[in-house]
């Protein structure tokens, strides 16, 4: 007996066929009626591509989930193009099923690479088709009606090079993973030649963030498992490309990737290059906490003030800004209170000056360990505790009143 059959259990799927014969359409309609799905097969007699496409907009908007059956027997090349196009158009809500007269391993591999996640022989048989629909209904039931887990995205932006942004991002991720026992992903979002993997003593060539973004339309937990790097301290890492001349990421794909990663981790820590605004906009939109990292030198503080002005122009960004002042020393002529007065925002994190200690750890690729007897370790532990223990709603409520005074 089919798993579904109750309209309250699963959404009614949109089912389409591409270049499938009348017998296939009849068998699909019969199987759908047995499940009490309130829909019929939509048929397309020609292969689909960006140059030869029907008007999909109403279907995409109305469909909660979709299943597409694409026949690879007539033209494997055009079927591949069709599967890729459908996967892109119905991103996140479609299962593409390849149809063929025999289970040829080469054809199955081609179909899988084009975005198909299932393969059925024609003519369709009742048992394999019912097994497929059972699996899909279980999947829809677990994902469509279950409250999605939403992790926290924490992004860090340095006001200029050399203020220690990567060092802070690395240690926040390490301490969230070790001290707070959280599932943590650390992303190096510098467009090229970032240093996160270097500071962690890892080879990041096989675990690059841009590969996750490029594969977002077929991204799932299993694929992600094969793309991330793993550090001995428990955190997962996605690196920056270690070559020059990398093409920019697609903004929509980047936003989708971050949304998926939030469902997989408690915390996603992102090390960003503040100068790449277009590159950073999806990260800014996805972040619950945004740290602007500065030191106490005049150049950094001037940049900090300018970037605060810039961030206030970005929609809903200002209430999420937090200021991290790195290498703070009582001997510095610029006191913390003067900095707060100058930038009109409180300093949320003050990291003591331990340049020599941090230089050694980064050169060795060995971050400071939680529990180490040093002022830095104590400060990082407290920071991780604050990030893990204070919700965004709590911090936003406390900080909104002084921020509003900027416009009075």
């Amino acid at each position: 007996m089919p798993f579904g059959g109750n309209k309250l259990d699963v959404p009614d799927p949109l089912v389409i066929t591409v270049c499938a014969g009348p017998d296939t359409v009849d068998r699909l309609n019969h199987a759908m009626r047995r499940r009490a799905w309130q829909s019929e097969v939509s048929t397309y007699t020609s292969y689909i591509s960006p140059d030869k496409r029907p008007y999909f907009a109403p279907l995409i908007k109305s469909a909660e989930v979709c299943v597409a059956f694409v026949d690879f027997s007539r033209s494997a090349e055009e079927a591949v193009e069709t599967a890729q196009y459908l996967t892109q158009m119905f991103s996140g809500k479609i299962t593409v099923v390849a149809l063929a007269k025999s289970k040829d391993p080469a054809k199955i591999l081609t179909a899988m690479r084009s975005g198909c996640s299932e393969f059925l022989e024609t003519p369709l048989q009742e048992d394999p088709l019912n097994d497929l629909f059972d699996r899909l209904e279980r999947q829809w039931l677990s994902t469509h009606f279950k409250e999605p887990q939403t992790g926290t995205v924490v992004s860090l932006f340095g006001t200029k090079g050399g203020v220690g942004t990567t060092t802070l991002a690395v240690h926040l991720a390490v301490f969230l993973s070790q001290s707070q026992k959280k599932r943590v992903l650390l992303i190096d979002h510098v467009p090229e030649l970032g240093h996160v993997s270097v500071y962690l003593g890892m080879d990041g060539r096989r675990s690059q963030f841009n590969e996750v973004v490029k594969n977002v339309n077929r991204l799932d937990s299993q694929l992600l498992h094969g793309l991330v790097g793993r550090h001995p301290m428990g955190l997962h890492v996605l690196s920056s490309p270690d070559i020059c001349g990398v093409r920019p990421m697609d903004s929509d794909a980047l936003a989708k990737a971050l949304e998926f990663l939030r469902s997989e981790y408690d915390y996603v820590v992102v090390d960003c290059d503040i100068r790449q605004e277009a590159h950073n906009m999806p990260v800014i939109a996805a972040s619950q906490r945004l740290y602007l990292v500065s030191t106490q030198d005049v150049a950094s503080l001037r940049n900090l003030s300018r970037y605060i002005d810039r961030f206030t122009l970005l929609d809903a960004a200002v209430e999420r800004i937090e200021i991290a002042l790195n290498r703070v020393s009582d001997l510095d002529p610029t006191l913390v209170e003067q900095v707060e007065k100058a930038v009109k925002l409180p300093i949320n994190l003050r990291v003591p000056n331990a340049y020599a200690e941090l230089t050694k750890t980064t050169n060795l690729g060995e971050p400071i360990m939680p529990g180490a007897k040093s002022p830095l370790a104590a400060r990082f532990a407290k920071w991780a505790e604050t990030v893990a223990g204070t919700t965004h709603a709590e911090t936003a409520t406390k900080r909104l009143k002084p921020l509003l005074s900027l416009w009075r």
Side-chain angles (χ1 to χ4, degrees), residues 163-195:
V163 297
T165 311
T166 301
T167 299
L168 295 187
V170 165
H171 283 93
L172 175 60
V174 167
F175 277 71
L176 282 171
S177 175
Q178 289 287 298
S179 299
Q180 300 300 315
K181 307 302 180 185
K182 301 296 183 180
R183 294 175 302 164
V184 181
L185 173 66
L186 174 60
I187 297 175
D188 193 333
H189 192 50
V190 176
E192 58 191 31
L193 302 178
H195 295 144

mmCIF file of all heavy atoms in Angstrom, residues 163-195:
data_model
loop_
_atom_site.group_PDB
_atom_site.id
_atom_site.type_symbol
_atom_site.label_atom_id
_atom_site.label_comp_id
_atom_site.label_asym_id
_atom_site.label_seq_id
_atom_site.Cartn_x
_atom_site.Cartn_y
_atom_site.Cartn_z
ATOM 1 N N VAL A 163 44.444 43.698 10.094
ATOM 2 C CA VAL A 163 43.861 43.962 11.413
ATOM 3 C C VAL A 163 43.542 42.677 12.177
ATOM 4 O O VAL A 163 43.115 42.727 13.327
ATOM 5 C CB VAL A 163 42.584 44.830 11.306
ATOM 6 C CG1 VAL A 163 42.920 46.199 10.719
ATOM 7 C CG2 VAL A 163 41.498 44.130 10.510
ATOM 8 N N GLY A 164 43.726 41.518 11.538
ATOM 9 C CA GLY A 164 43.555 40.256 12.251
ATOM 10 C C GLY A 164 42.208 39.595 12.072
ATOM 11 O O GLY A 164 41.814 38.765 12.893
ATOM 12 N N THR A 165 41.498 39.915 10.987
ATOM 13 C CA THR A 165 40.155 39.357 10.785
ATOM 14 C C THR A 165 40.183 37.841 10.663
ATOM 15 O O THR A 165 39.381 37.139 11.306
ATOM 16 C CB THR A 165 39.521 39.953 9.514
ATOM 17 O OG1 THR A 165 39.669 41.377 9.549
ATOM 18 C CG2 THR A 165 38.055 39.596 9.422
ATOM 19 N N THR A 166 41.083 37.308 9.854
ATOM 20 C CA THR A 166 41.153 35.858 9.677
ATOM 21 C C THR A 166 41.517 35.161 10.975
ATOM 22 O O THR A 166 40.955 34.114 11.318
ATOM 23 C CB THR A 166 42.160 35.506 8.575
ATOM 24 O OG1 THR A 166 41.769 36.133 7.346
ATOM 25 C CG2 THR A 166 42.242 33.994 8.355
ATOM 26 N N THR A 167 42.437 35.741 11.729
ATOM 27 C CA THR A 167 42.818 35.156 13.019
ATOM 28 C C THR A 167 41.615 35.066 13.950
ATOM 29 O O THR A 167 41.401 34.042 14.611
ATOM 30 C CB THR A 167 43.918 36.009 13.677
ATOM 31 O OG1 THR A 167 45.056 36.026 12.813
ATOM 32 C CG2 THR A 167 44.316 35.436 15.027
ATOM 33 N N LEU A 168 40.815 36.123 14.014
ATOM 34 C CA LEU A 168 39.637 36.110 14.879
ATOM 35 C C LEU A 168 38.599 35.113 14.370
ATOM 36 O O LEU A 168 37.982 34.390 15.166
ATOM 37 C CB LEU A 168 39.024 37.509 14.965
ATOM 38 C CG LEU A 168 39.881 38.596 15.621
ATOM 39 C CD1 LEU A 168 39.070 39.883 15.780
ATOM 40 C CD2 LEU A 168 40.415 38.151 16.965
ATOM 41 N N ALA A 169 38.382 35.050 13.056
ATOM 42 C CA ALA A 169 37.406 34.112 12.501
ATOM 43 C C ALA A 169 37.799 32.675 12.822
ATOM 44 O O ALA A 169 36.961 31.859 13.222
ATOM 45 C CB ALA A 169 37.290 34.307 10.986
ATOM 46 N N VAL A 170 39.083 32.362 12.650
ATOM 47 C CA VAL A 170 39.573 31.011 12.925
ATOM 48 C C VAL A 170 39.349 30.648 14.388
ATOM 49 O O VAL A 170 38.848 29.560 14.710
ATOM 50 C CB VAL A 170 41.066 30.891 12.553
ATOM 51 C CG1 VAL A 170 41.686 29.641 13.172
ATOM 52 C CG2 VAL A 170 41.230 30.878 11.040
ATOM 53 N N HIS A 171 39.693 31.557 15.295
ATOM 54 C CA HIS A 171 39.588 31.226 16.720
ATOM 55 C C HIS A 171 38.140 31.209 17.204
ATOM 56 O O HIS A 171 37.794 30.413 18.088
ATOM 57 C CB HIS A 171 40.453 32.178 17.545
ATOM 58 C CG HIS A 171 41.911 31.846 17.484
ATOM 59 N ND1 HIS A 171 42.767 32.415 16.564
ATOM 60 C CD2 HIS A 171 42.649 30.957 18.201
ATOM 61 C CE1 HIS A 171 43.978 31.913 16.734
ATOM 62 N NE2 HIS A 171 43.938 31.027 17.718
ATOM 63 N N LEU A 172 37.284 32.047 16.637
ATOM 64 C CA LEU A 172 35.871 31.957 17.007
ATOM 65 C C LEU A 172 35.322 30.592 16.610
ATOM 66 O O LEU A 172 34.613 29.944 17.394
ATOM 67 C CB LEU A 172 35.067 33.063 16.325
ATOM 68 C CG LEU A 172 33.549 33.002 16.548
ATOM 69 C CD1 LEU A 172 33.197 33.112 18.029
ATOM 70 C CD2 LEU A 172 32.830 34.092 15.742
ATOM 71 N N ALA A 173 35.648 30.144 15.400
ATOM 72 C CA ALA A 173 35.172 28.840 14.944
ATOM 73 C C ALA A 173 35.713 27.714 15.817
ATOM 74 O O ALA A 173 34.982 26.800 16.207
ATOM 75 C CB ALA A 173 35.577 28.627 13.479
ATOM 76 N N VAL A 174 36.999 27.769 16.149
ATOM 77 C CA VAL A 174 37.618 26.734 16.983
ATOM 78 C C VAL A 174 36.971 26.683 18.360
ATOM 79 O O VAL A 174 36.624 25.600 18.870
ATOM 80 C CB VAL A 174 39.134 26.973 17.103
ATOM 81 C CG1 VAL A 174 39.736 26.099 18.209
ATOM 82 C CG2 VAL A 174 39.828 26.680 15.780
ATOM 83 N N PHE A 175 36.771 27.835 18.968
ATOM 84 C CA PHE A 175 36.236 27.860 20.330
ATOM 85 C C PHE A 175 34.741 27.528 20.352
ATOM 86 O O PHE A 175 34.262 26.927 21.315
ATOM 87 C CB PHE A 175 36.508 29.213 20.983
ATOM 88 C CG PHE A 175 37.885 29.315 21.583
ATOM 89 C CD1 PHE A 175 39.016 29.385 20.782
ATOM 90 C CD2 PHE A 175 38.069 29.314 22.965
ATOM 91 C CE1 PHE A 175 40.293 29.467 21.329
ATOM 92 C CE2 PHE A 175 39.338 29.392 23.529
ATOM 93 C CZ PHE A 175 40.455 29.460 22.710
ATOM 94 N N LEU A 176 33.989 27.895 19.317
ATOM 95 C CA LEU A 176 32.593 27.465 19.249
ATOM 96 C C LEU A 176 32.499 25.946 19.139
ATOM 97 O O LEU A 176 31.641 25.307 19.744
ATOM 98 C CB LEU A 176 31.891 28.102 18.048
ATOM 99 C CG LEU A 176 31.455 29.557 18.186
ATOM 100 C CD1 LEU A 176 30.971 30.095 16.842
ATOM 101 C CD2 LEU A 176 30.357 29.714 19.236
ATOM 102 N N SER A 177 33.414 25.373 18.374
ATOM 103 C CA SER A 177 33.419 23.919 18.194
ATOM 104 C C SER A 177 33.889 23.194 19.445
ATOM 105 O O SER A 177 33.256 22.225 19.890
ATOM 106 C CB SER A 177 34.322 23.553 17.012
ATOM 107 O OG SER A 177 34.454 22.154 16.879
ATOM 108 N N GLN A 178 34.977 23.678 20.058
ATOM 109 C CA GLN A 178 35.587 22.969 21.174
ATOM 110 C C GLN A 178 34.939 23.310 22.518
ATOM 111 O O GLN A 178 34.566 22.415 23.270
ATOM 112 C CB GLN A 178 37.081 23.293 21.227
ATOM 113 C CG GLN A 178 37.882 22.662 20.098
ATOM 114 C CD GLN A 178 38.065 21.169 20.279
ATOM 115 O OE1 GLN A 178 38.665 20.720 21.245
ATOM 116 N NE2 GLN A 178 37.536 20.392 19.340
ATOM 117 N N SER A 179 34.824 24.589 22.815
ATOM 118 C CA SER A 179 34.306 24.995 24.127
ATOM 119 C C SER A 179 32.792 24.856 24.219
ATOM 120 O O SER A 179 32.264 24.457 25.259
ATOM 121 C CB SER A 179 34.696 26.447 24.423
ATOM 122 O OG SER A 179 36.091 26.596 24.461
ATOM 123 N N GLN A 180 32.102 25.214 23.135
ATOM 124 C CA GLN A 180 30.643 25.209 23.158
ATOM 125 C C GLN A 180 30.028 23.944 22.551
ATOM 126 O O GLN A 180 28.811 23.786 22.549
ATOM 127 C CB GLN A 180 30.111 26.445 22.419
ATOM 128 C CG GLN A 180 30.570 27.765 23.015
ATOM 129 C CD GLN A 180 30.116 27.930 24.453
ATOM 130 O OE1 GLN A 180 28.969 27.647 24.772
ATOM 131 N NE2 GLN A 180 31.002 28.408 25.316
ATOM 132 N N LYS A 181 30.880 23.073 22.006
ATOM 133 C CA LYS A 181 30.420 21.791 21.444
ATOM 134 C C LYS A 181 29.358 21.993 20.361
ATOM 135 O O LYS A 181 28.350 21.279 20.293
ATOM 136 C CB LYS A 181 29.870 20.873 22.547
ATOM 137 C CG LYS A 181 30.830 20.677 23.709
ATOM 138 C CD LYS A 181 32.168 20.092 23.258
ATOM 139 C CE LYS A 181 33.125 19.908 24.423
ATOM 140 N NZ LYS A 181 34.471 19.457 23.972
ATOM 141 N N LYS A 182 29.600 22.967 19.506
ATOM 142 C CA LYS A 182 28.671 23.254 18.420
ATOM 143 C C LYS A 182 29.194 22.675 17.102
ATOM 144 O O LYS A 182 30.390 22.462 16.929
ATOM 145 C CB LYS A 182 28.478 24.767 18.262
ATOM 146 C CG LYS A 182 27.955 25.469 19.498
ATOM 147 C CD LYS A 182 26.565 24.999 19.872
ATOM 148 C CE LYS A 182 26.017 25.770 21.068
ATOM 149 N NZ LYS A 182 24.655 25.307 21.450
ATOM 150 N N ARG A 183 28.259 22.423 16.195
ATOM 151 C CA ARG A 183 28.639 22.036 14.837
ATOM 152 C C ARG A 183 28.954 23.318 14.072
ATOM 153 O O ARG A 183 28.076 24.168 13.877
ATOM 154 C CB ARG A 183 27.516 21.267 14.162
ATOM 155 C CG ARG A 183 27.232 19.910 14.800
ATOM 156 C CD ARG A 183 26.018 19.263 14.159
ATOM 157 N NE ARG A 183 24.844 20.126 14.292
ATOM 158 C CZ ARG A 183 23.737 19.978 13.588
ATOM 159 N NH1 ARG A 183 23.651 19.042 12.667
ATOM 160 N NH2 ARG A 183 22.707 20.786 13.787
ATOM 161 N N VAL A 184 30.197 23.447 13.627
ATOM 162 C CA VAL A 184 30.678 24.724 13.090
ATOM 163 C C VAL A 184 31.281 24.515 11.705
ATOM 164 O O VAL A 184 32.061 23.583 11.487
ATOM 165 C CB VAL A 184 31.724 25.363 14.022
ATOM 166 C CG1 VAL A 184 32.196 26.703 13.453
ATOM 167 C CG2 VAL A 184 31.156 25.549 15.423
ATOM 168 N N LEU A 185 30.916 25.401 10.790
ATOM 169 C CA LEU A 185 31.547 25.475 9.476
ATOM 170 C C LEU A 185 32.237 26.824 9.369
ATOM 171 O O LEU A 185 31.619 27.862 9.593
ATOM 172 C CB LEU A 185 30.510 25.336 8.367
ATOM 173 C CG LEU A 185 31.025 25.554 6.941
ATOM 174 C CD1 LEU A 185 32.006 24.457 6.542
ATOM 175 C CD2 LEU A 185 29.868 25.624 5.948
ATOM 176 N N LEU A 186 33.516 26.809 9.007
ATOM 177 C CA LEU A 186 34.288 28.041 8.787
ATOM 178 C C LEU A 186 34.509 28.208 7.295
ATOM 179 O O LEU A 186 35.060 27.324 6.636
ATOM 180 C CB LEU A 186 35.631 27.950 9.528
ATOM 181 C CG LEU A 186 36.628 29.090 9.291
ATOM 182 C CD1 LEU A 186 36.052 30.438 9.704
ATOM 183 C CD2 LEU A 186 37.931 28.815 10.042
ATOM 184 N N ILE A 187 34.066 29.345 6.755
ATOM 185 C CA ILE A 187 34.170 29.620 5.320
ATOM 186 C C ILE A 187 35.155 30.746 5.076
ATOM 187 O O ILE A 187 35.053 31.813 5.686
ATOM 188 C CB ILE A 187 32.798 30.011 4.738
ATOM 189 C CG1 ILE A 187 31.798 28.857 4.874
ATOM 190 C CG2 ILE A 187 32.928 30.420 3.275
ATOM 191 C CD1 ILE A 187 30.396 29.223 4.415
ATOM 192 N N ASP A 188 36.100 30.516 4.177
ATOM 193 C CA ASP A 188 36.990 31.574 3.700
ATOM 194 C C ASP A 188 36.344 32.180 2.463
ATOM 195 O O ASP A 188 36.369 31.595 1.379
ATOM 196 C CB ASP A 188 38.364 30.979 3.358
ATOM 197 C CG ASP A 188 39.417 32.065 3.160
ATOM 198 O OD1 ASP A 188 39.033 33.194 2.786
ATOM 199 O OD2 ASP A 188 40.613 31.785 3.379
ATOM 200 N N HIS A 189 35.748 33.371 2.639
ATOM 201 C CA HIS A 189 35.011 34.014 1.545
ATOM 202 C C HIS A 189 35.840 35.085 0.848
ATOM 203 O O HIS A 189 35.299 35.920 0.115
ATOM 204 C CB HIS A 189 33.705 34.608 2.079
ATOM 205 C CG HIS A 189 32.755 35.042 1.004
ATOM 206 N ND1 HIS A 189 32.390 34.237 -0.058
ATOM 207 C CD2 HIS A 189 32.083 36.216 0.815
ATOM 208 C CE1 HIS A 189 31.555 34.878 -0.840
ATOM 209 N NE2 HIS A 189 31.342 36.080 -0.339
ATOM 210 N N VAL A 190 37.138 35.082 1.055
ATOM 211 C CA VAL A 190 38.017 35.948 0.275
ATOM 212 C C VAL A 190 38.005 35.415 -1.156
ATOM 213 O O VAL A 190 38.122 34.202 -1.368
ATOM 214 C CB VAL A 190 39.439 35.941 0.864
ATOM 215 C CG1 VAL A 190 40.388 36.766 0.009
ATOM 216 C CG2 VAL A 190 39.404 36.465 2.296
ATOM 217 N N PRO A 191 37.841 36.271 -2.165
ATOM 218 C CA PRO A 191 37.656 35.772 -3.535
ATOM 219 C C PRO A 191 38.763 34.845 -4.016
ATOM 220 O O PRO A 191 38.504 33.913 -4.773
ATOM 221 C CB PRO A 191 37.607 37.059 -4.365
ATOM 222 C CG PRO A 191 37.118 38.105 -3.420
ATOM 223 C CD PRO A 191 37.698 37.736 -2.086
ATOM 224 N N GLU A 192 40.000 35.082 -3.582
ATOM 225 C CA GLU A 192 41.110 34.214 -3.965
ATOM 226 C C GLU A 192 42.263 34.402 -2.990
ATOM 227 O O GLU A 192 42.412 35.451 -2.362
ATOM 228 C CB GLU A 192 41.577 34.514 -5.388
ATOM 229 C CG GLU A 192 42.007 35.956 -5.602
ATOM 230 C CD GLU A 192 42.219 36.300 -7.067
ATOM 231 O OE1 GLU A 192 41.525 35.697 -7.917
ATOM 232 O OE2 GLU A 192 43.075 37.146 -7.366
ATOM 233 N N LEU A 193 43.033 33.328 -2.814
ATOM 234 C CA LEU A 193 44.240 33.358 -1.981
ATOM 235 C C LEU A 193 43.944 33.769 -0.538
ATOM 236 O O LEU A 193 44.690 34.547 0.069
ATOM 237 C CB LEU A 193 45.297 34.295 -2.594
ATOM 238 C CG LEU A 193 45.729 33.955 -4.025
ATOM 239 C CD1 LEU A 193 46.740 34.976 -4.533
ATOM 240 C CD2 LEU A 193 46.302 32.551 -4.105
ATOM 241 N N GLY A 194 42.866 33.250 0.035
ATOM 242 C CA GLY A 194 42.591 33.479 1.449
ATOM 243 C C GLY A 194 43.516 32.657 2.330
ATOM 244 O O GLY A 194 44.220 31.752 1.864
ATOM 245 N N HIS A 195 43.496 32.942 3.640
ATOM 246 C CA HIS A 195 44.486 32.363 4.549
ATOM 247 C C HIS A 195 43.913 31.448 5.621
ATOM 248 O O HIS A 195 44.653 30.995 6.494
ATOM 249 C CB HIS A 195 45.267 33.497 5.228
ATOM 250 C CG HIS A 195 46.087 34.306 4.278
ATOM 251 N ND1 HIS A 195 46.261 35.665 4.420
ATOM 252 C CD2 HIS A 195 46.758 33.954 3.158
ATOM 253 C CE1 HIS A 195 47.019 36.118 3.433
ATOM 254 N NE2 HIS A 195 47.328 35.109 2.658
#
